[in-house]
Amino acid sequence: MSSSQAPVAAGSPARAILVGVDLGGRVAFDESLDELALLAESAGDAPVARVIARRKAPDPALFVGSGKADEIKALVEGHQAEAVLFDQALSPAQQRNLERHLGVAVADRTMLILEIFAARAKSHEGKLQVELARLQYLATRLVRRWSHLERQQGGIGTRGGPGEAQIELDRRMIEDRIKSVKARLERVKKQRRTQRRARERNETFRVSLVGYTNAGKSTLFNALVKARSYAADQLFATLDTTTRQLYLEEAGRSVSLSDTVGFIRDLPHKLVEAFEATLQEAADADLLLHVVDCASPVLDEQMAEVERVLDEIGAGRIPQVLVFNKVDRLEPSQRPRAPRDLIERGGGQRVPRVFVSALDGSGLDELRQVLTEAVAGTLHPDTPACEALDARFAADPDVIHAPATGTHDSQA
């Protein structure tokens, strides 16, 4: 990155320094900080430099330690940066200390995701969910965030003074607001439960698209149901669940197809909790289409993160079909030789996998066929539909494989 001294133009994206701390493999670490850069760009910031630190444990005061903090401060001054973004979660004290030391705004990964969600939420429900998560986050950071709380000491002989009283007042206001938002979200959940019961009475087969953010779920959703849901090559392009009917000609019936919010590494627990009403669509589904960006160099890690969140919301045991999307981005030598196969996941479970490109439409007919088999109850690996694949495997063991993307799940 160049250290240009040119003045920052008014209205231009805020210049940001990206910081990642490798804590020795105990937690996921992105050496390149590419995902943090995408998050920053999605939030409207412009990354101008990246810093990697390695520590056995976070520094209690500055997270990175004083020496590395000085290095970051020099970069801030050299690049005229307006913000420093950390790829890990910071405690309120660490965030406050870093802002004082660096002289610019400091945000962690959690805050960055919350800001993106706040900007992208469109529906009434989505806005309520994001507001709840942000309020819960800010409730622990009153002293740092709110400028009128700077006066922490009263006059001589007093303890706390007006600053302390103001903090308590603001905390009480936030707690009241949290209660109000939770009550409104509970009403939304009741409405969703009523809608789900209606679908159950109609014996509607429910399919939910799940996957890592930017795996192409919304593009696939649009391609399957001819919808016009917003889709873009960016993180968290869509937050609000959209449900449409998908007619399967061979089955002679329709299924309910839902597009859900994407997952991401270290998705804040409070955000998962706040989006419970939306994510319930996945938890109540009859089948999950787990959409994977098969061109991603870290697809294994992304798939594992999706599985972790699915377990967290109670959807871990729902039958899945893996949809390896974006095959158009693979080199010819990496592309699969068959449009579908079986892949072995944890515990020896074999899961159907389909290779598609939602962009150019390849593989979509095969995916519709898989959905038809799911509706008919013939998709399970022990059913005739998959016994046919077993026969092909016996004749040619290479029929079950993964594209050469650099990372692989264990194969059957």
Side-chain angles (χ1 to χ4, degrees):
M1 299 291 176
S2 64
S3 55
S4 171
Q5 295 293 332
V8 180
S12 61
R15 298 185 182 187
I17 307 293
L18 308 183
V19 181
V21 181
D22 184 355
L23 298 172
R26 292 181 300 163
V27 293
F29 178 68
D30 178 11
E31 182 82 31
S32 67
L33 294 183
D34 285 345
E35 189 169 88
L36 183 64
L38 287 173
L39 284 171
E41 290 166 2
S42 296
D45 298 327
V48 293
R50 305 183 186 197
V51 178
I52 299 295
R54 290 177 172 81
R55 296 183 61 89
K56 292 182 178 179
D59 178 74
L62 295 169
F63 195 78
V64 291
S66 58
K68 185 62 70 171
D70 288 338
E71 178 185 330
I72 296 170
K73 185 174 182 178
L75 282 171
V76 168
E77 294 171 351
H79 288 276
Q80 295 185 353
E82 300 159 84
V84 175
L85 309 177
F86 279 75
D87 200 30
Q88 288 85 10
L90 301 172
S91 72
Q94 289 166 338
Q95 201 161 5
R96 180 174 65 249
N97 293 338
L98 282 164
E99 287 191 335
R100 288 173 177 168
H101 188 89
L102 302 175
V104 294
V106 173
D108 62 8
R109 185 183 180 89
T110 300
M111 187 64 184
L112 206 51
I113 293 173
L114 288 173
E115 290 296 330
I116 296 169
F117 272 53
R120 300 273 168 80
K122 301 298 182 187
S123 70
H124 173 64
E125 178 186 357
K127 290 176 181 178
L128 283 175
Q129 290 166 330
V130 174
E131 182 182 359
L132 176 59
R134 293 182 80 193
L135 285 169
Q136 291 171 328
Y137 178 85
L138 287 174
T140 64
R141 295 161 196 263
L142 287 176
V143 177
R144 181 187 65 81
R145 277 291 168 202
W146 296 16
S147 60
H148 67 275
L149 304 182
E150 291 295 327
R151 51 187 194 283
Q152 288 298 298
Q153 187 62 42
I156 296 174
T158 65
R159 180 170 178 147
E164 183 178 12
Q166 185 65 59
I167 289 174
E168 291 305 317
L169 177 61
D170 290 330
R171 182 173 289 118
R172 196 156 51 244
M173 290 172 62
I174 284 185
E175 289 173 353
D176 290 344
R177 183 64 181 167
I178 287 174
K179 289 178 183 177
S180 171
V181 173
K182 280 185 173 180
R184 293 162 71 185
L185 275 174
E186 186 57 39
R187 289 196 291 272
V188 172
K189 288 167 66 175
K190 287 181 179 177
Q191 292 170 357
R192 283 193 175 275
R193 283 195 292 267
T194 300
Q195 293 167 354
R196 283 194 295 272
R197 282 196 293 269
R199 289 197 296 264
E200 288 168 0
R201 284 196 298 271
N202 295 331
E203 296 183 347
T204 302
F205 191 89
R206 294 158 296 177
V207 181
S208 281
L209 294 169
V210 298
Y212 207 79
T213 183
N214 207 29
K217 295 187 307 303
S218 295
T219 303
L220 179 61
F221 179 82
N222 289 340
L224 286 172
V225 300
K226 305 297 189 291
R228 296 182 179 179
S229 296
Y230 180 69
D233 186 14
Q234 59 183 205
L235 303 186
F236 303 117
T238 181
L239 296 182
D240 299 309
T241 297
T242 305
T243 301
R244 295 287 187 274
Q245 295 298 305
L246 169 62
Y247 183 72
L248 300 173
E249 188 170 352
E250 288 192 32
R253 59 177 290 187
S254 294
V255 299
S256 171
L257 184 66
S258 296
D259 182 18
T260 61
V261 62
F263 303 149
I264 195 170
R265 175 174 62 82
D266 299 330
L267 187 66
H269 177 75
K270 288 296 182 185
L271 200 53
V272 174
E273 192 176 87
F275 270 72
E276 180 186 0
T278 298
L279 295 174
Q280 195 65 34
E281 290 291 333
D284 290 336
D286 297 300
L287 179 71
L288 298 178
L289 296 184
H290 181 169
V291 185
V292 179
D293 177 359
C294 68
S296 169
V298 290
L299 67 88
D300 286 341
E301 292 88 339
Q302 292 177 348
M303 290 168 67
E305 184 61 27
V306 171
E307 296 290 354
R308 186 191 67 77
V309 177
L310 288 174
D311 285 337
E312 187 175 344
I313 64 175
R317 293 183 175 275
I318 296 174
Q320 277 191 30
V321 170
L322 285 172
V323 182
F324 271 40
N325 189 27
K326 303 187 182 182
V327 292
D328 56 289
R329 294 191 178 185
L330 297 177
E331 295 295 329
S333 61
Q334 295 177 307
R335 297 187 180 183
R337 285 166 287 173
R340 66 182 283 192
D341 62 18
L342 295 172
I343 182 171
E344 186 172 310
R345 304 303 306 278
Q349 179 189 18
R350 290 184 300 168
V351 178
R353 174 173 58 172
V354 185
F355 298 94
V356 308
S357 169
L359 199 61
D360 65 25
S362 60
L364 294 186
D365 288 341
E366 195 70 35
L367 179 56
R368 290 188 184 93
Q369 178 60 38
V370 167
L371 290 173
T372 299
E373 293 172 16
V375 170
T378 60
L379 187 61
H380 191 275
D382 294 330
T383 63
C386 285
E387 285 172 2
L389 273 176
D390 290 344
R392 289 168 57 201
F393 178 61
D396 178 10
D398 289 332
V399 72
I400 298 180
H401 67 284
T405 54
T407 55
H408 302 277
D409 285 281
S410 59
Q411 304 292 307

